[in-house]
Amino acid sequence: MYVHRDKGFGASLASDAGLAAVADEELMRLIGEADDSAYSELVTRHLNWGLGFAERLTGSRADAEEIMQEAFLRVWTTAFRWRTDGARFTTWFYRVVMNLCIDRKRKKVLEPLATAGDPADPAPGADRNVFEIERDRTVARALTGLPARQRAAIALCYFQGLSNREAAEVLAVSVKAVESLLTRGRKAMYTRLASKKDDILGAL
Amino acid sequence: MKPRRFRKLLSSYGANPERWPEDERAAAVALLAASSEARALRDRAETLDRMLDTYRVDAADDGLRGQILAAPHNPAVARVEIDQKTGQGGVRWRGIWPQFAALAGACVLGFIIGTTDLAAGGEPDSETDLASLIFGDDDLEGLGQ
């Protein structure tokens, strides 16, 4: 279904099934030339990673899935403008996902309460029991209740495993500011979760 | 490393040394090994880490992946691409060329039909000519006799 265009560098890479070794930034250049194989490779690499980030920022699986669709659509429609001048794809992509999450949460705040729904609604996986689902919701509510930048800092550094420098790039702040956001965010999380500690850890 | 900085590492990054900044990790681990106070602080930070670690996210399913891969093939997406590309050096025709070809074909056909009808038919200049155009010459035979 996804026909690779027979042109130049991208065609030879795809025909050799060598895209797995190609850097994200080069994949973006190929996607700018409408290369389906490069797009598929980039989706394979970053879908789960971005989905985890979006779900932890929004607290909603459904929102996170829609955001990932929109984020990858932006990859496709803007790749032609991509310049390989040292910019990292992951930094740019995390920013795109983060901004989409913040926009969505802002819109939900503006919606009437009757239609806004529960802000924290991680989709239960088939292998989770009712205690685990409730535990996830408790942590998700605490996280989504933080101010956006604190939430993003914790999601990036703690859950996604970015270094403080990488997180600083995504958030467009200094490393010191990232540490400040993390400290305030973790403190607030502890305050919110301390009274439920036994419920959360007891289910383990 | 000073205890104050160690506390800051714990409060920012948590109890796992793998999350501490690489350039400070060795010094922080050394302090942890040497100080019981540092270990007590680490244990306190670990409580929050354990609660956070319970928040798991499921991997994407095949349906979501399929939707994302199919999205660029939606004709509406191609139109967005063209809007973005205009003025940026080049238009990507993929996805929209069938619609463009159909529109161009309809225009050419309309032009041909319009010009040939007028050229062939001309302006009727009498009632007879007008009747001929409507009914055809065979229908009018014998009417004037």
Side-chain angles (χ1 to χ4, degrees), chain B residues 66-127:
Chain B
Q67 284 176 318
I68 290 172
L69 291 177
H73 298 266
N74 182 337
V77 172
R79 290 191 194 101
V80 172
E81 273 186 323
I82 285 173
D83 287 345
Q84 290 190 349
K85 277 185 173 271
T86 304
Q88 295 282 339
V91 173
R92 181 174 297 155
W93 295 104
R94 176 185 162 159
I96 200 171
W97 71 264
Q99 293 95 320
F100 180 80
L103 179 63
C107 289
V108 169
L109 190 62
F111 179 77
I112 290 170
I113 290 171
T115 52
T116 51
D117 272 355
L118 285 175
E123 283 288 326
D125 55 5
S126 68
E127 288 182 4

Side-chain angles (χ1 to χ4, degrees), chain B residues 120-137 140:
Chain B
E123 283 288 326
D125 55 5
S126 68
E127 288 182 4
T128 307
D129 288 338
L130 185 58
S132 298
L133 282 173
I134 296 170
F135 297 107
D137 290 338
L140 298 175

Side-chain angles (χ1 to χ4, degrees), chain B residues 32-78:
Chain B
L32 193 62
S35 165
S36 59
E37 189 185 350
R39 288 193 293 277
L41 288 170
R42 191 269 317 267
D43 291 346
R44 222 177 298 165
E46 198 171 32
T47 302
L48 177 60
D49 285 6
R50 288 174 59 210
M51 288 194 279
L52 294 178
D53 289 343
T54 62
Y55 187 7
R56 292 176 297 155
V57 172
D58 291 331
D61 59 29
D62 290 343
L64 175 62
R65 181 182 154 77
Q67 284 176 318
I68 290 172
L69 291 177
H73 298 266
N74 182 337
V77 172

Side-chain angles (χ1 to χ4, degrees), chain A residues 19-20 22-29 31 35-50 68 71-72 75-76 79 82 89-90 92-93, chain B residues 65 68-69:
Chain A
L19 284 175
V22 176
D24 292 340
E25 293 73 21
E26 178 60 16
L27 291 178
M28 280 295 277
R29 190 189 68 74
I31 293 167
D35 188 318
D36 286 320
S37 300
Y39 179 68
S40 178
E41 174 66 22
L42 206 66
V43 170
T44 299
R45 285 185 197 179
H46 299 291
L47 175 55
N48 283 330
W49 182 77
M68 291 317 296
F72 277 111
V75 166
W76 180 265
W82 183 262
F89 169 77
T90 49
W92 175 81
F93 190 61
Chain B
R65 181 182 154 77
I68 290 172
L69 291 177

